[in-house]
């Protein structure tokens, strides 16, 4: 394991200080810039997570209450009042999205 160099401590005007070489100072500044960039990325990711959580909550709210005629039974066609296959497919998609959200919420808990 590499040993970290210990800074040289000096006293200037009665106050303790640390003396760095130019190279050490440049490395310190480069590290600070990297950390600053990383914290900005973390902040943006945190905002994206919050927006995504809100989107999922809104989506869950939209599909949480099934139409009265929707049976939500595995393998059953949704009877959401539609008269065409496209209407039935939309109902089944609602059930599939609702089930996906429930699985995601249950696995996240």
């Amino acid at each position: 394991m590499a040993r970290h160099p210990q800074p040289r401590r000096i006293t200037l005007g009665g106050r303790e200080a640390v003396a760095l070489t130019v190279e050490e100072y440049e490395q310190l500044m480069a590290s600070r810039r990297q950390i600053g960039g990383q914290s900005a990325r973390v902040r943006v990711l945190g905002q994206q997570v919050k927006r995504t959580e809100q989107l999922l909550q809104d989506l869950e709210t939209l599909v949480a209450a099934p139409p009265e005629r929707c049976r939500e039974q595995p393998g059953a066609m949704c009877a959401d009042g539609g008269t065409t296959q496209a209407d039935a497919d939309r109902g089944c998609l609602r059930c599939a999205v609702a089930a996906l959200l429930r699985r995601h919420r249950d696995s996240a808990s």
Side-chain angles (χ1 to χ4, degrees):
M1 181 179 273
R3 185 173 168 243
H4 296 291
Q6 296 298 312
R8 289 165 299 287
R9 296 180 185 275
I10 59 173
T11 303
L12 272 171
R15 296 182 65 183
E16 188 175 10
V18 177
L20 300 174
T21 65
V22 172
E23 293 81 20
E24 290 170 333
Y25 178 77
E26 288 172 355
Q27 287 177 348
L28 177 64
M29 297 313 296
S31 295
R32 290 185 71 190
R33 284 189 299 273
Q34 288 175 350
I35 290 171
Q38 288 173 352
S39 45
R41 285 189 292 274
V42 167
R43 187 174 49 256
V44 168
L45 287 172
Q47 292 169 348
Q48 288 175 339
V49 165
K50 287 179 184 175
R51 283 194 309 265
T52 302
E53 286 175 344
Q54 184 62 50
L55 174 63
L56 285 173
Q57 288 175 357
D58 293 347
L59 183 58
E60 185 175 19
T61 300
L62 286 174
V63 299
E68 290 178 21
R69 293 163 287 205
C70 184
R71 291 178 279 193
E72 281 195 297
Q73 296 174 2
M77 291 292 285
C78 289
D80 64 354
T83 56
T84 67
Q85 182 61 42
D87 291 336
D89 289 345
R90 276 195 295 275
C92 290
L93 177 60
R94 193 211 65 74
C95 289
V97 170
L100 177 67
L101 288 169
R102 280 193 301 274
R103 280 195 310 271
H104 177 74
R105 183 185 58 236
D106 293 343
S107 69
S109 302

